[in-house]
């Protein structure tokens, strides 16, 4: 089945609250006329009649209406705040999930949680109120027109001038603000990457150079951002001055009409107040425009993210795979690349078989591992586990039956036990069993707090060898039926390598299908078959002893080309199983 677009569903649910908000906005804006009507009645009725009772009752009615206005305004704002919070709660996990998928499928993701914050800021803030109030501006202008056409002309002209300012402001700042925001996002990402690479940058003396490059890029972006802010501020100040001038003009025109007995003094004051209410949403929209532009950009990026990462997933709960692997015409072109990393790879493994993968650097061994576990999707061909396409298999359902140890081990904030259990709830016995199978139990017990030792934000509190052994325990957690190991001994000492060999032998006895990328011949002892990759092509695949003997013969041939990590002098030892 095809996944639904979560973003569209959530936004539609939010927009379904709009009728209620529009109704509240209608009542709020109608009640904004109370002060004008009160002023009109005071001047035209109370002062002329001298009736105290009329004054008292008018005041009671006005105060009651203002109290109702306050309750409705508070309800409207609370409703928007909760819609914004709900949007953030609903979208944030989905955005993280889709960003991970976009990173795997496309190599990058422009959308982030910052876009969710922009949407919440617009929907839950004051900006959206300006747009909700704007449709009532014509109503206020019509009321002024009914008081007197001359006053109506002044009000309509003023509204058109302010509206033209808003349109001109959008025209001048829309593209510049979007580009400035995007550059700021890239700048923040670059700064975070510098911090993450501190252990490399600092010893090599690169920090100041990186900061200078970052500052140079920031200078232009900051200048553009300041220019946009100055433009917005300029239009806001001009519009504010125009609005004040319009109030003076309508008071002056009203006074002239009073002198000609075409308007009452109360009407003059009321027209000035109503004009202020009529122009307020237009003026506020200029300051709210920046928030709206951010909202619009965030909405576009999130829509693209959710549309690009929709995929067909297996909805049925497939049985635990036995481990039969079928690789058919596998080809992979990285996102934005021009040359495929894998050009044509074909091989099959029966359930329980172990395949060693060898080949020179850059031949596509790590890429093959990522395709085998479904981290990346093939550009062509397929990876099938027990006949089911791994790329279309729901990772949350496939993951518990699969073990994967990449070259670069990523541990997550939490304890050693949390990381071995894949951040899931698990029995202590299961965690310890995985650690023992990986030969890491004794090593973990020597850590400051044993299995409860915190590994740090990215596992920086433990060594590379310890990280690799914990990663292996995580891969072996709950004894998966399919295991992919990418150079699992690259950071191991002698004891760690012996523990690894014992773990591989134990998993083989239990019928686990394994694919092991090897740079050292001793890892091939557990292999039934060997795959040789060369320039993204499966150059050889077959029984271990036959492939290794073939490589030895090829190595003795003058001018031959063999994988630079293929076992040579030590091949006989690996082949004999010693």
């Amino acid at each position: 089945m095809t996944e639904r677009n979560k973003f569209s569903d959530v936004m539609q649910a939010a927009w379904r609250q709009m009728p209620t908000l529009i109704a509240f906005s209608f009542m709020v804006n109608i009640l904004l006329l109370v002060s004008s009507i009160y002023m009109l009645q005071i001047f035209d009725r109370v002062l002329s009649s001298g009736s105290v009772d009329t004054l008292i009752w008018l005041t009671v009615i006005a105060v009651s209406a203002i109290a109702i206005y306050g309750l409705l305004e508070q309800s409207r704002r609370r409703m928007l705040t909760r819609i914004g919070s709900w949007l953030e709660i609903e979208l944030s996990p989905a955005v993280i999930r889709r960003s991970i998928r976009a990173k795997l499928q496309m190599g990058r993701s422009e959308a982030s949680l910052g876009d969710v914050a922009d949407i919440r800021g617009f929907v839950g803030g004051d900006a959206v109120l300006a747009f909700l109030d704007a449709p009532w501006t014509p109503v206020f202008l019509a009321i002024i027109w009914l008081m007197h056409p001359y006053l109506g002309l002044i009000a309509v002209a003023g509204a058109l001038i302010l509206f033209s300012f808003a349109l001109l402001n959008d025209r001048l700042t829309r593209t510049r603000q979007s580009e400035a925001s995007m550059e700021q996002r890239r700048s923040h990402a670059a700064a975070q990457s510098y911090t993450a690479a501190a252990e490399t940058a600092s010893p090599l003396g690169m920090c100041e150079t990186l900061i200078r490059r970052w500052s140079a890029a920031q200078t232009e972006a900051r200048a553009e951002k300041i220019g946009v802010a100055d433009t917005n501020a300029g239009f806001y100040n001009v519009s504010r001055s125009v609005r004040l001038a319009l109030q003076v003009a309508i008071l002056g025109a009203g006074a002239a009409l009073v002198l000609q007995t075409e308007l009452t003094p109360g009407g003059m004051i009321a027209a000035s107040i109503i004009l202020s209410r009529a122009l307020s949403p237009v003026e506020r929209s200029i300051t709210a425009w920046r928030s709206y532009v951010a909202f619009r950009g965030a909405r576009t990026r999130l829509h693209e993210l959710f549309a690009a990462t929709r995929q067909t997933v297996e909805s049925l709960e497939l049985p635990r795979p036995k481990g039969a692997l079928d690789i058919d015409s596998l080809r992979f072109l990285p996102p934005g690349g021009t040359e495929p990393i894998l050009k044509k790879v074909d091989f099959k493994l029966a359930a329980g078989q172990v395949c060693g993968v060898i080949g020179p650097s850059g031949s596509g061994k790590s890429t093959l591992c990522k395709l085998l576990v479904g981290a990346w999707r093939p550009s062509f061909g397929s990876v099938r586990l027990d006949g089911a396409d791994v790329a279309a298999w729901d990772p949350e359902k496939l993951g518990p039956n699969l073990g994967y140890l990449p070259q670069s081990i990523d541990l997550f904030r939490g304890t050693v036990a949390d990381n071995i259990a894949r951040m899931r709830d698990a029995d202590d016995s299961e965690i310890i069993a995985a650690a023992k199978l990986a030969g890491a139990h004794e090593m973990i017990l020597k850590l400051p707090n044993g299995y409860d030792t915190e590994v740090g934000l990215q596992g920086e509190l433990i060594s590379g060898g310890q990280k690799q052994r914990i990663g292996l325990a995580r891969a072996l957690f709950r004894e998966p039926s399919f295991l992919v190991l990418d150079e699992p001994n690259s950071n191991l000492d002698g004891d760690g390598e012996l523990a690894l060999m014992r773990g591989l032998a134990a998993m083989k006895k239990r019928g686990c299908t394994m694919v092991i990328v090897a740079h050292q011949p001793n890892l091939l002892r557990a292999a039934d078959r060997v795959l040789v990759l060369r320039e993204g092509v499966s150059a050889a695949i077959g029984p271990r002893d036959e492939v290794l003997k073939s490589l030895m013969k090829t190595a003795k041939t003058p001018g031959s080309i063999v994988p630079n990590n293929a076992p040579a002098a030590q091949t006989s030892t690996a082949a004999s199983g010693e």
Side-chain angles (χ1 to χ4, degrees):
M1 60 176 291
T2 302
E3 291 180 306
R4 291 177 59 85
N5 192 319
K6 172 79 172 179
F7 180 68
S8 297
D9 292 345
V10 170
M11 293 304 294
Q12 287 174 9
W15 295 138
R16 282 197 289 270
Q17 309 305 314
M18 277 298 131
T20 303
L21 286 168
I22 291 172
F24 279 9
S25 298
F26 169 75
M27 291 184 285
V28 163
N29 282 276
I30 290 298
L31 290 172
L32 281 174
L33 294 172
V34 168
S35 59
S36 303
I37 297 173
Y38 180 74
M39 190 74 65
L40 183 65
Q41 297 302 316
I42 290 293
F43 274 88
D44 294 350
R45 292 182 181 274
V46 175
L47 294 181
S48 61
S49 66
S51 173
V52 176
D53 291 339
T54 303
L55 174 62
I56 292 173
W57 283 109
L58 283 174
T59 303
V60 169
I61 294 172
V63 171
S64 301
I66 291 172
I68 295 172
Y69 160 81
L71 290 174
L72 290 173
E73 181 68 11
Q74 177 69 3
S75 299
R76 182 168 74 150
R77 289 178 180 273
R78 285 170 65 90
M79 189 174 178
L80 286 172
T81 300
R82 279 153 180 76
I83 291 174
S85 179
W86 179 81
L87 283 171
E88 187 173 44
I89 292 171
E90 289 293 316
L91 288 177
S92 293
V95 168
I96 295 174
R97 191 177 300 114
R98 296 304 183 102
S99 296
I100 292 173
R101 190 180 299 169
K103 174 69 175 177
L104 296 176
Q105 293 180 4
M106 300 177 288
R108 62 183 178 85
S109 172
E110 293 290 348
S112 68
L113 289 179
D115 294 315
V116 179
D118 286 340
I119 287 179
R120 177 184 178 176
F122 175 76
V123 174
D126 290 336
V128 73
L129 293 177
F131 295 97
L132 284 171
D133 293 338
W136 307 107
T137 293
V139 175
F140 293 141
L141 296 178
I143 293 173
I144 296 175
W145 191 286
L146 291 175
M147 289 182 174
H148 199 284
Y150 287 168
L151 300 182
L153 286 173
I154 295 173
V156 170
L160 291 175
I161 292 172
L162 292 182
F163 185 67
S164 65
F165 283 164
L167 291 178
L168 184 59
N169 180 49
D170 173 52
R171 184 180 181 85
L172 293 177
T173 61
R174 178 190 301 179
T175 303
R176 295 167 59 196
Q177 186 162 320
S178 297
E179 292 175 352
S181 298
M182 187 60 65
E183 186 60 36
Q184 186 176 24
R185 291 162 62 89
R186 295 193 188 101
S187 177
H188 288 168
Q192 291 175 355
S193 69
Y194 298 160
T195 303
E199 294 178 358
T200 300
S202 182
L204 296 177
M206 298 171 59
C207 291
E208 290 303 319
T209 303
L210 289 172
I211 292 172
R212 281 197 298 271
R213 290 170 64 91
W214 180 84
S215 298
Q218 273 287 89
T219 299
E220 184 176 351
R222 192 179 295 111
E224 186 68 19
K225 190 174 180 180
I226 291 174
V228 172
D230 288 343
T231 302
N232 283 328
F235 275 104
Y236 174 74
N237 292 326
V238 170
S239 66
R240 189 174 181 84
S241 299
V242 169
R243 184 171 66 82
L244 293 173
L246 286 170
Q247 285 192 277
V248 171
I250 206 164
L251 279 173
L257 293 172
V258 170
L259 293 176
Q260 297 176 9
T261 66
E262 295 186 23
L263 186 69
T264 64
M268 176 187 69
I269 301 298
S272 176
I273 297 174
I274 294 173
L275 178 66
S276 176
R277 303 293 188 219
L279 300 182
S280 177
V282 180
E283 183 182 350
R284 284 157 51 205
S285 68
I286 295 177
T287 58
W289 201 256
R290 183 185 303 178
S291 178
Y292 173 69
V293 171
F295 163 79
R296 185 172 55 191
R299 182 184 59 189
T300 300
R301 286 188 293 271
L302 289 177
H303 180 76
E304 291 174 352
L305 171 68
F306 278 75
T309 54
R310 294 180 69 182
Q311 65 176 8
T312 300
V313 297
E314 180 57 62
S315 60
L316 296 177
E317 185 74 38
L318 295 176
R320 175 183 171 89
K322 296 179 180 179
L325 187 66
D326 185 1
I327 310 300
D328 181 27
S329 302
L330 196 62
R331 176 184 173 92
F332 179 74
L333 178 68
T338 55
E339 281 293 322
I341 298 176
L342 292 181
K343 300 174 182 176
K344 192 175 187 301
V345 178
D346 295 274
F347 70 95
K348 294 182 179 181
L349 289 180
Q353 281 192 319
V354 180
C355 179
V357 180
I358 60 176
S361 298
S363 60
K365 300 185 297 297
S366 294
T367 298
L368 175 63
C369 290
K370 291 180 172 64
L371 292 168
L372 291 180
V373 297
W376 290 352
R377 297 174 65 88
S379 303
F380 184 79
S382 63
V383 177
R384 295 188 177 275
L385 189 62
D386 284 12
D389 190 345
V390 169
W393 205 326
D394 186 351
E396 293 300 312
K397 297 177 181 177
L398 173 62
N401 303 309
L402 181 150
Y404 176 46
L405 182 69
Q407 272 190 10
S408 178
I409 311 297
D410 292 315
L411 298 184
F412 305 99
R413 186 173 185 175
T415 65
V416 171
D418 292 334
N419 278 274
I420 292 176
R422 307 185 183 187
M423 313 308 285
R424 299 171 181 265
D425 293 329
D427 294 336
D428 294 343
S429 59
E430 293 179 308
I431 297 172
I432 294 172
K436 287 183 176 180
L437 190 57
H441 179 65
E442 297 296 331
M443 179 271 292
I444 294 173
L445 292 179
K446 293 177 182 178
L447 294 174
N449 295 310
Y451 283 88
D452 292 327
T453 301
E454 292 284 338
V455 302
L457 187 60
Q458 294 178 321
E460 70 270 14
L461 299 182
I462 57 178
S463 69
Q466 292 171 331
K467 188 184 294 186
Q468 191 157 38
R469 293 175 75 175
I470 293 171
L472 178 61
R474 179 176 62 190
L476 299 178
F477 179 67
R478 290 179 177 167
E479 300 180 12
S481 55
F482 180 46
L483 185 62
V484 179
L485 306 176
D486 191 357
E487 298 185 31
N489 60 343
S490 58
N491 291 316
L492 297 182
D493 56 15
D495 291 339
E497 194 155 337
L498 287 174
L500 171 64
M501 297 306 299
R502 286 194 294 268
L504 294 181
M507 291 300 293
K508 185 174 181 179
K509 286 182 180 179
R510 298 176 191 187
C512 176
T513 304
M514 291 186 281
V515 174
I516 307 170
V517 173
H519 265 255
Q520 297 178 13
N522 54 351
L523 283 181
L524 296 179
R525 294 176 184 175
D528 301 304
R529 297 166 64 82
V530 170
L531 168 67
V532 181
L533 281 181
R534 186 182 297 126
E535 296 181 356
V537 177
S538 48
I541 176 68
R544 177 193 62 187
D545 295 348
E546 292 182 10
V547 172
L548 295 181
K549 288 177 182 178
S550 175
L551 288 176
M552 289 180 61
K553 292 179 182 179
T554 306
K556 294 177 182 178
T557 303
S560 65
I561 300 176
V562 296
N564 60 9
N565 67 334
Q570 305 179 53
T571 301
S572 58
T573 302
S576 64
E578 296 179 0

